[in-house]
Each structure stands twice: as structure tokens, then as C-alpha cells.
Amino acid sequence: EGGVDGFILETFSDVQELRAAYGAVRSVSELPVLALVTVGGDGLTSYGTGPAQLAAELDALGADVVGLNCSVGPAIILDALEEMAPHTTRPLAALPNAGLPRTVRDRKIYMASPEYMAQYARRLIDVGVRFVGGCCGTTPDHIRAMSDTVRSVQPRYGPGQVRVGALATPTRGQDVVPLPKRSVFGAALARGDFLTTVELLPPHGWDAADMIYEARMAREAGVHAVTLVDSPRGPSRMSSIASGLLLQQQAGMEAVVHYTCRDRNMMGLMSDLLGAAAAGIRNVLLVSGDPPVQGPFQDSTAVFDIDSIGLTNLVHGLNRGLDPGGNSIGAPTRFVVGVAANHSAVDMEREVDRFMWKVDAGADFAVTQPVFDPEALARFLERVSPWPVPVLAGLWPLRSLRNAEFVANEIPGVVVPDAVLERMANAQARGDEAAAEEGILIAREILEAVRPLVRGVHVTAPGTDVASALRVLADEAQ
């Protein structure tokens, strides 16, 4: 409506996101669209898609012009576009950065000169590029030099000169392995069993003997699986994946491994998950993760390349034999994918939307925050009923009034009603043992109330008191 002549969609790393943006433009306008992706120093997108595959996917998109922008400089753009040119019928565009910036006396300065950019503009046109420009670091001097150079040259490739290779059709992935064949836990989910899980903490050190002992207690009590948290609330512990492997090897039962996005970039996430799949981890509960507790390390930071929705998408792709760039990883992984849900979220609309996206991304089951108000859980389940997946209700047997107050005030997303706090206060007045017994009684009452609503329960062992968690499940474990 403002009178523009076209649209440039630039610096995308994910063709799926670019497709969504292109659809948004096309929903309101038929003006020309340039669809541009960025690649790294290896010529791949941050999701690992190579130039030939990228060209095929961009060609299928339908944009008027496709190509690359930004990146680390014109040389990498040139190499990538040489691979892309034979695999697309669309005119190509190249808008590289003026190299990588260097720090000179506290200033970031792009080092590529106008003459250097002009030289590469000529080379880009020689490989078939029709639209040449600049991205980060280019100035009017760069553009002027490039313009002077390219006036007299013509592209090599044009319509009708395209060679479509084996990669012209994007990889679509394999069928996901049926749920009953992925794990014992997955088979129980598929059968409709009422599931029981107990949550344990990996050790602060490297000695896992206590954790293994607790897992064996859970196995002997008939619990379906033990879940292992991934450094909850920030302080570092043994890796949940390593803990899960030790537990499966030495305790003789399956683990459900909590896996967080925190402190892992995309490469780290992929490496961990592929290694876990190869080592025998089959069940994962995917969460965004709590920010790290710095302690004495005041310069520590958190890394969040993606959130739990993106991670669920990533794992679902692995279960189809594809990496995030749509490239084959060979045999598909066999993860049973769990996600978290907050039935008492303050912003319920956002929580319901996120639940929908997690299910859409490939979740096989969900686990709620600890439930202290069964009616709140019932209301949430009604809201998310259009996206049916098995839901396990979280249970937390409170140990004391202090523990109840801590959960109510310092655990994000958990709501403890005043009536529960009052019961714990009355019990605490009779002593620590009475308070612990009241906490178990409350958890058992909640279990009975939610049992008709859910497909199982997920009990947090308070501290290392696995016996209390198992007492909550005394009538459920088979």
C-alpha cells in the first residue's frame, strides 16, 4: 500500500521459515519477491543444508528470485552459488557482506575494499548471478565500484540452461518407527497403561551409586520408568544422558532423560541426541531449561539457540531420519518424545498455544508441573483436548511446611493453594514426621482425584527420599 516495487526476504537460515514468510507476502501481494538465505563459512546453513539441496528447495518455493546474502564475505557466497546455479530455474541474487569485521581500537571495521567487492561481483555474474549487491559493511563506495564493473557483463546461465541433479527433490524423510517399537515405555503408552514414573536427581559428582540404588528401589516397586532431570534450576550435575545410560546398564530399567535447550547450540544438541540414540537412550522429556546459577562463575552465560518447541521439531526430524537442514542421517532414531506443560500458567492462552505447537511438532506425551489443585488440571485438560496426547500429572509429596512454602514461592510455574499450605502448617505444628506424612497423604489424594483425567503420574522424589515417592504410588505400581 505504500507503493513498494517488491519484497526482499533475507538472511534466513531455515527454508521452512522462509516458506512461511513467502506465504505471508503472497497472501497480500503479487509483487516480485527475492528469497535469500545465508550460509556459514562451510557453505552450509546453520541447520546443515548444502547449496545444491538449498537451491532445489528455493526453486520449489516459487519466489521470483532466489539466492544468498550476508554470510562471511563474497568468496564463500561465490563458492556456494557455483553449486546452486545448476539446480535452480530461478534468477540468482548475491548480496554478500564486505568480509568479516575486525576490531580496530574498539570499533568493528569491515576490511573488504570496494575494489575487492567489485572483483567478486564480476565473478558472481560469471557463475550465473543476475542481481548483485551488498549486505553488512557495504557502503556507497562499494556499490559504486560494483556497479561500474558489472555494466558490461552478462550472466552465464539463463532459463533453459539448468541441469537438475539428484538433489533437485528435497529429502522428505522416512516413516517414524511405530511407538510400541521404540521402547518399553513407548509400548506401555501405546497400550493405554496407567503409567508411573519417579523423578531422580543425577549426582553433583561423578559417583552415581546412590542414584543407581534409588532406581533399583523404583524398579522393585514396579515403577514403569525413572526420569532423570537435567541440572534443574541451574546448578550443574552429572549429564542426564550419561546418568540415564548408567541407570539402564546397572539398574535394569528404562530411563526417561530430561534434555534441555540451555547451554547447547544446535551442533551440541545434534551431537548429544545422536550419541544418546546410538547408546540406547529411547525416552526423552524435552524442556527449554532453567537459567544457570552462576555461583562463583560470575561471567557464565546461558545459550538458547532454540526452545522446547524447536527441540521437539528437531527430535521429530531425527525420528524421520533427517537433520534440521532436511539432510539424511541414515536410519531414523527411535525416541519417545515427551514435553512439559504448565496447567497453572499465568498466561494460559500462551501456554495452550505452546502445548498445541509441541503436539504439532511431534510430542508423544506430556508431563505437567506438580499438581496441587486437581480442578486447575481439569480446566487445562479441557482447553487442550483438541490436541490429544497422553498426559502424566506431576506429583510432589511435600516434606515440611518450609518445603511447601519453597515450592509455592520459588519454583516457577507451580501453584500451591492456601488450603494445602494450611494443612502443612497444621501438620508441622505436630512435628517433622507428621508434616512429611501429611505431604504424602496430600499427594495420594491428588493422585486419586486426577486418575480419571490422565494417563499416568510423574512423582518427584523430595530430595533423595525415593521411599516417600514410592509410598505415593503404593497402590499404583504393578
Side-chain angles (χ1 to χ4, degrees), residues 108-123:
K108 295 290 187 181
I109 297 178
Y110 286 85
M111 305 305 292
S113 67
E115 293 74 23
Y116 178 79
M117 291 288 284
Q119 180 182 5
Y120 266 91
R122 174 71 179 259
R123 293 172 181 172

Side-chain angles (χ1 to χ4, degrees), residues 11 34 79 104 116 172 191 204 260 264 279 360 410 430:
T11 327
L34 282 72
D79 291 342
V104 179
Y116 178 79
R172 295 302 177 192
R191 286 194 305 268
H204 277 299
T260 71
R264 299 177 175 104
D360 185 69
E410 298 191 41
R430 301 193 302 272

